[in-house]
Amino acid sequence: NRVPIAVSFHPERGGVENNKSETKQRRVVVTGMGVVTPLGHEPDEFYSNLLQGVSGISEIEAFDCSSYPTRIAGEIKSFSTDGWVAPKLAKRMDKFMQYLIVAGKKALENGGVTEGIMNELDKSRCGVLIGSGMGGMKVFSDAIEALRVSYRKMNPFCVPFATTNMGSAILAMDLGWMGPNYSISTACATSNFCILSAANHIMRGETDLMLCGGSDAPIIPIGLGGFVACRALSQRNSDPTKASRPWDMDRDGFVMGEGAGVLLLEELEHAKQRGAEIYAEFLGGSFTCDAYHMTEPHPEGKGVILCVKNALADAGVTRQDINYVNAHATSTQLGDLKEFEALCRCFGQNPQLRVNSTKSMTGHLLGAAGGIEAVAAIQAIRTGWIHPNINLDNPEKNVDVSLLVGSQKERCDVKVALSNSFGFGGHNSSILFAPF
């Protein structure tokens, strides 16, 4: 005997009225940049050092790491929050938040957002989307040590100040910006995810300005120890400035870095109305997933190829339009090679294409990497110069060296710049900028 099934029939429903206002595609431009890096805390200083081939890799001084097999990093030696963060708050917060807030405010200053302009902004249409791959590791690590004694010894701010979203939240509170405010954490691809998502808020007509990018401060015992345990780091301790060497046969792992990179994205007409200097136009981008392995790249580069192709389609450009790629290239054996192979499959034999890796000089800033590399790409557009790949002394045999920038800076009239960032978990991201 079959059990009858009750079926509900509804009368034909009329179409639902759509009251959403139609907005034509809004253009997004870059009007400000802020950085905190091992190579300087101002965009021009940072890029000048990159063009000169200066390495920011050195021996770690923040703590005793003499027992570790890796004792080098892209460590920031000099940094102050004075004038940027309230002293009491700065004392409590993790360094990733300090870097984030300073870089964010520097981006506003660099973008000509004076106090007068700030007072005139519609703050309900201004947002903050600055992520972190690792979050407040030091705050959380200190809390665990305190807990060994007693929970009474724990910092009451240890939970909120360890979360990746709190940097964006504190900055928004400081500025009074009430638009979209959150963070994205996709490991080393974090910044690009945040930049593209922020641009989408502007394109959809939800905001007029967005501060976006990434920040990380992982150079602490648990951070160094964790990556040592992964066997991911270079052990070239005797020659720190030579340790990060993307695409070189003698590379032996990446070098950790720290800092923050933040862009001020703005709707074009809004930027024009306030007389802002426009550094570049944001064209579009894409996210994909390898869906293959936690740390290793897909052997056929499927996720990266899909990401680049989708990014080109989103930006409305062809592969022939791209003549500069700031690659993810971290100085790992598999990662460097697989990314380059994917780029060759995407762009073919384009003699105009130039490829470099900022990480050869800064090390890998993890969640902040895409932020500072976006700044490098924009500075290449502004200056007409692209920075060298240092330490490329013995190039990988399977790499077409004619596409790689050499040991000296090169003149390049950048038509469209592509910046790649990939993260643990198979996260891929590509974003594109062009001259305005």
Side-chain angles (χ1 to χ4, degrees), residues 33-47:
M33 300 177 286
V35 295
V36 175
T37 79
L39 290 176
H41 307 330
E42 299 295 337
D44 289 344
E45 176 193 15
F46 165 65
Y47 201 62

Side-chain angles (χ1 to χ4, degrees), residues 374-398:
V375 170
I378 293 161
Q379 291 286 58
I381 289 170
R382 292 183 67 210
T383 64
W385 289 96
I386 51 178
H387 70 69
N389 288 304
I390 69 168
N391 303 326
L392 188 57
D393 303 325
N394 185 20
E396 175 77 47
K397 291 179 181 178
N398 295 326

Side-chain angles (χ1 to χ4, degrees), residues 3-176:
V3 178
I5 299 176
V7 180
S8 178
F9 291 94
H10 297 281
E12 186 176 348
R13 291 171 174 163
V16 177
E17 184 179 355
N18 188 340
N19 293 317
K20 290 171 68 176
S21 59
E22 289 189 13
T23 56
K24 66 178 182 179
Q25 184 71 36
R26 288 153 50 97
R27 294 171 68 182
V28 179
V29 293
V30 181
T31 56
M33 300 177 286
V35 295
V36 175
T37 79
L39 290 176
H41 307 330
E42 299 295 337
D44 289 344
E45 176 193 15
F46 165 65
Y47 201 62
S48 175
N49 281 324
L50 287 177
L51 290 179
Q52 295 173 53
V54 176
S55 174
I57 311 302
S58 59
E59 293 183 0
I60 295 172
E61 298 176 3
F63 61 95
D64 180 12
C65 56
S66 57
S67 62
Y68 290 71
T70 293
R71 298 180 291 279
I72 56 175
E75 184 181 55
I76 293 172
K77 306 297 186 187
S78 175
F79 173 75
S80 173
T81 58
D82 292 349
W84 300 103
V85 186
K88 190 174 182 180
L89 190 60
K91 187 176 181 181
R92 290 171 170 167
M93 63 176 51
D94 193 274
K95 267 192 174 181
F96 100 90
M97 291 176 63
Q98 294 179 10
Y99 294 159
L100 183 156
I101 292 170
V102 171
K105 289 187 174 181
K106 281 177 177 281
L108 289 174
E109 182 182 69
N110 179 259
V113 181
T114 62
E115 185 177 351
I117 291 175
M118 181 69 83
N119 291 334
E120 294 175 1
L121 293 175
D122 180 352
K123 294 182 174 60
S124 69
R125 295 184 59 79
C126 301
V128 184
L129 211 179
I130 307 172
S132 176
M134 310 298 286
M137 293 183 70
K138 181 67 164 60
V139 165
F140 202 72
S141 177
D142 289 347
I144 292 171
E145 291 304 312
L147 184 59
R148 295 181 191 279
V149 179
S150 167
Y151 73 89
R152 300 178 191 276
K153 297 291 184 181
M154 293 174 69
N155 178 353
F157 296 93
C158 67
V159 173
F161 281 3
T163 59
T164 61
N165 69 294
M166 198 54 64
S168 283
I170 294 292
L171 182 55
M173 293 174 203
D174 196 333
L175 301 175

Side-chain angles (χ1 to χ4, degrees), residues 325-346:
V325 175
N326 188 298
H328 181 65
T330 62
S331 189
T332 59
Q333 287 290 337
L334 269 178
D336 291 8
L337 185 58
K338 293 305 174 184
E339 180 186 11
F340 195 87
E341 289 175 352
L343 289 175
C344 288
R345 289 183 63 181
C346 289

Side-chain angles (χ1 to χ4, degrees), residues 99-264:
Y99 294 159
L100 183 156
I101 292 170
V102 171
K105 289 187 174 181
K106 281 177 177 281
L108 289 174
E109 182 182 69
N110 179 259
V113 181
T114 62
E115 185 177 351
I117 291 175
M118 181 69 83
N119 291 334
E120 294 175 1
L121 293 175
D122 180 352
K123 294 182 174 60
S124 69
R125 295 184 59 79
C126 301
V128 184
L129 211 179
I130 307 172
S132 176
M134 310 298 286
M137 293 183 70
K138 181 67 164 60
V139 165
F140 202 72
S141 177
D142 289 347
I144 292 171
E145 291 304 312
L147 184 59
R148 295 181 191 279
V149 179
S150 167
Y151 73 89
R152 300 178 191 276
K153 297 291 184 181
M154 293 174 69
N155 178 353
F157 296 93
C158 67
V159 173
F161 281 3
T163 59
T164 61
N165 69 294
M166 198 54 64
S168 283
I170 294 292
L171 182 55
M173 293 174 203
D174 196 333
L175 301 175
W177 284 18
M178 299 174 65
N181 183 281
Y182 56 102
S183 69
I184 297 172
S185 184
T186 47
C188 311
T190 291
S191 285
N192 277 13
F193 272 69
C194 291
I195 292 168
L196 177 52
S197 297
N200 285 337
H201 284 296
I202 297 174
M203 290 177 184
R204 289 198 299 262
E206 298 166 359
T207 60
D208 297 319
L209 291 97
M210 292 290 297
L211 284 168
C212 53
S215 178
D216 260 324
I219 305 175
I220 60 173
I222 193 171
L224 182 65
F227 281 110
V228 164
C230 289
R231 300 180 182 177
L233 300 180
S234 169
Q235 297 183 18
R236 196 182 284 257
N237 300 301
S238 61
D239 201 359
T241 62
K242 300 288 187 183
S244 187
R245 42 198 317 114
W247 301 297
D248 189 84
M249 287 282 286
D250 299 320
R251 63 193 185 279
D252 69 329
F254 76 84
V255 179
M256 289 175 67
E258 62 177 349
V262 176
L263 300 183
L264 176 63

